[in-house]
DNA sequence: AAGAGTAACAAACGATCGTTTGCTATCGGG
DNA sequence: CCCGATAGCAAACGATCGTTTGTTACTCTT
């Protein structure tokens, strides 16, 4: 066993936070996952909360970069929406642990750290709202449904994926993106 | 201050579990919420987990009764789906704390209790799947979208409501039901 | 090859956790 | 009206929590 890096520790923390939750994970649990003692983790970080901050910030940055890339991929709201959906699914599936911790354990952050993350998240979600609002004004989407509510619905579906998707299942990411986009655009009828 | 009933204790537990999570809520917290000491709670229940079981079972029963009523309200899949949606929203909004605990803290249950709840939930979700599948075979819904996936999408939206809905906001329950049903049926275009 | 830096250990710190015990005071049924 | 039942208190139990300390042993730099 070679010595561990700070990244190794953060990655293992994300794994445990995603599986058991922040409060149900002790520093001794984390040490066990890494093959060291609980107290030895403090050679790499200065507190347990710092681990949570690091994991959540990492996921936040991934979502932000994904959104930035999606918005610059096209000028048309419908294509932008599909790119946003594809990007979100990609982040969730490629970085399950960080995404899961980001979505479920942000409430365990201290006040100031939590507000910073909530701010990031609001910015991200506002992109979905504005893309859908643009689609309505351009006539690409129908105009009798509130854009904010529609964006909330789409984001609800996206954020729930980590709760049911299994990488070894029969739903592959590409068809999931297609089906979700089609559902968002046309519903079930 | 009169003496407390077992229901008072369970209700307060649901309030704290919903707000702070199960692991972040101590028996002394719960005692403080009730105006008694932490140890005094054991005059009403025999363990902390029993409180969680009680709260989660209560929510499970509410969802089950709501589904039963919705299914018997009509023979047509589209009306049944709308009734299921209306009922689910009603349970979430009328019993926020229990519903929130049911949705977010079930993972904190011990193995056997958790499996029982997961079973209940699977039965409930299967209703949505079968209603949508029926709607497809009857021609009420389009046939090129997987019924299981569509049900998952609708349930994702329903289960996320407790995360963003504020009772003092500008979205009232009836229009939320209508908008969600319309979104599910027709999408955003 | 020597020395600086540090990952990890072993052990303990005070705080808090869920829970138990012995007791007091209050309440409802005969 | 009295007496058994019990809600709640005060205090403590052992376990575990996040964190700190002092030390050892390894690794990298020069």
């Amino acid at each position: 066993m070679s010595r561990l890096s700070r990244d190794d520790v953060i990655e293992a923390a994300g794994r445990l936070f995603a599986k058991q939750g922040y409060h149900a994970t002790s520093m001794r649990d984390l040490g066990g996952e890494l093959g060291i003692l609980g107290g030895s983790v403090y050679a790499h970080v200065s507190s347990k909360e710092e681990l949570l901050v690091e994991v959540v910030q990492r996921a936040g940055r991934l979502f932000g970069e994904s959104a930035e890339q999606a918005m610059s991929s096209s000028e048309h709201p419908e294509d932008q929406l599909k790119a946003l959906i594809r990007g979100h699914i990609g982040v969730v599936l490629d970085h399950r642990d960080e995404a899961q911790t980001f979505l479920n354990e942000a409430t365990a952050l201290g006040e100031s750290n939590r507000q910073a993350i909530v701010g990031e998240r609001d910015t991200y979600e506002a992109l979905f709202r504005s893309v859908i609002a643009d689609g309505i004004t351009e006539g690409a989407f129908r105009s009798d449904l509130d854009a904010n509510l529609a964006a909330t619905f789409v984001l609800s579906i996206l954020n729930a994926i980590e709760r049911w998707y299994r990488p070894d299942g029969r739903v592959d990411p590409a068809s999931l993106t297609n089906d979700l986009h089609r559902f968002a655009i046309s519903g079930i009828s």
Side-chain angles (χ1 to χ4, degrees), chain A:
Chain A
M1 281 290 191
S2 71
R3 305 171 103 186
L4 299 169
S5 71
R6 181 179 154 94
D7 269 4
D8 293 331
V9 176
I10 294 170
E11 184 189 314
R15 221 176 307 142
L16 294 187
F17 292 165
K19 189 187 304 173
Q20 318 174 355
Y22 177 75
H23 286 112
T25 300
S26 70
M27 294 301 270
R28 289 167 180 86
D29 283 343
L30 179 54
E33 177 85 4
L34 292 162
I36 61 178
L37 296 182
S40 304
V41 176
Y42 288 87
H44 302 277
V45 294
S46 65
S47 75
K48 188 187 176 188
E49 173 150 11
E50 183 182 323
L51 283 167
L52 182 57
V53 169
E54 207 78 36
V55 172
V56 166
Q57 273 182 355
R58 218 164 271 213
R61 189 163 39 80
L62 288 169
F63 281 119
E65 289 170 358
S66 162
E68 199 174 344
Q69 188 175 343
M71 292 304 291
S72 63
S73 70
S74 169
E75 300 281 332
H76 304 85
E78 187 168 341
D79 293 335
Q80 286 177 325
L81 178 60
K82 185 161 191 175
L84 282 173
I85 290 173
R86 189 196 346 267
H88 190 111
I89 291 177
V91 170
V92 168
L93 299 191
D94 291 345
H95 304 87
R96 286 190 73 93
D97 297 331
E98 292 95 329
Q100 213 159 326
T101 303
F102 180 84
L103 292 171
N104 298 324
E105 305 298 328
T107 58
L109 287 167
E111 190 61 29
S112 65
N113 283 321
R114 196 181 69 242
Q115 283 188 349
I117 290 298
V118 167
E120 269 191 58
R121 186 137 134 196
D122 286 347
T123 303
Y124 179 75
E125 300 193 347
L127 272 183
F128 281 75
R129 298 181 210 288
S130 74
V131 164
I132 290 179
D134 287 353
I136 291 175
T137 56
E138 286 193 14
F141 303 149
R142 72 185 161 89
S143 58
D144 63 332
L145 191 65
D146 181 44
N148 287 326
L149 212 48
T152 299
F153 292 161
V154 172
L155 282 161
S156 297
I157 298 173
L158 288 170
N159 288 336
I161 290 176
E162 52 95 1
R163 295 198 174 197
W164 59 267
Y165 187 89
R166 294 291 164 262
D168 53 344
R170 44 171 181 59
V171 182
D172 71 292
S175 74
L176 175 58
T177 301
N178 283 329
D179 283 356
L180 173 48
H181 187 251
R182 188 144 35 92
F183 178 80
I185 296 294
S186 306
I188 62 182
S189 69

